[in-house]
Amino acid sequence: GGDQIPDLSFSLLPGENFFVDIYISDLPPVFAMAFDLNYDSSQLHVLKASPSSQWNFQPMADVDTPGNILFGGGAPLGSSISSDSANPNILLGTIEFTCIAAGESIIGLTKSSLAGAGFYDANTYEDISDTFEWQESMVVSQVPIPATAILFLSGIFGLVGIRKFKAGKRES
């Protein structure tokens, strides 16, 4: 946050919402894309998922399968999308999650197993997904509220107990 370096790990409390923007770098001209985003549905819940507006031909963000979002879309008809020196990172999509349980969750991008899914080269019309590195992931660590609350409350009760003990000594 704030240092222009993407955060690949951060902590949340259950009930907190956060956004994930998915970018790709060094993208040759492509006319269509599709990929999966995987997450732990016991710890995270998708509030909203949408492809970037530049993928405006039949954009898709299928969130029907818990733990998986299928993203897809195409460039406007007759055109392509690519990265260059002016735009080295291309936004693929944005997801809004809410944290629902404590623990560590990994959000990862994978090549979709859906037939016809991939990144399609605008010149050769071939799927070039195999040329990408798909192991990038982000870790979301949730702060467990029960343990935090117990620690906080035991400190408060301890302070109250000390105060009452000292007050009792003064009276005697």
Side-chain angles (χ1 to χ4, degrees), residues 16-158:
E16 285 187 303
N17 296 350
F18 66 100
F19 290 88
V20 175
D21 288 333
I22 305 162
Y23 287 90
I24 190 167
S25 301
D26 302 321
L27 182 68
V30 297
F31 68 90
M33 63 91 177
F35 63 93
D36 287 336
L37 184 131
N38 303 294
Y39 63 96
D40 185 343
S41 62
S42 70
Q43 296 173 332
L44 301 173
H45 173 72
V46 176
L47 297 174
K48 183 179 179 183
S50 57
S52 168
S53 61
Q54 62 190 343
W55 302 96
N56 62 10
F57 181 71
Q58 296 183 334
M60 168 185 58
D62 181 354
V63 296
D64 291 338
T65 305
N68 179 273
I69 304 169
L70 172 61
F71 270 93
L77 288 176
S79 67
S80 63
I81 297 171
S82 64
S83 55
D84 55 30
S85 59
N87 297 306
N89 300 314
I90 302 299
L91 179 63
L92 299 177
T94 300
I95 305 107
E96 181 181 7
F97 286 103
T98 189
C99 173
I100 57 175
E104 186 171 287
S105 183
I106 294 180
I107 300 171
L109 301 176
T110 57
K111 183 177 177 181
S112 180
S113 59
L114 183 68
F119 285 77
Y120 285 88
D121 187 294
N123 299 315
T124 64
Y125 301 106
E126 293 180 11
D127 181 7
I128 57 172
S129 299
D130 291 332
T131 64
F132 300 147
E133 293 182 30
W134 290 98
Q135 69 256 17
E136 195 65 55
S137 62
M138 178 174 59
V139 177
V140 179
S141 302
Q142 294 87 6
V143 178
I145 286 180
T148 306
I150 289 169
L151 184 60
F152 176 74
L153 290 175
S154 65
I156 294 294
F157 289 134

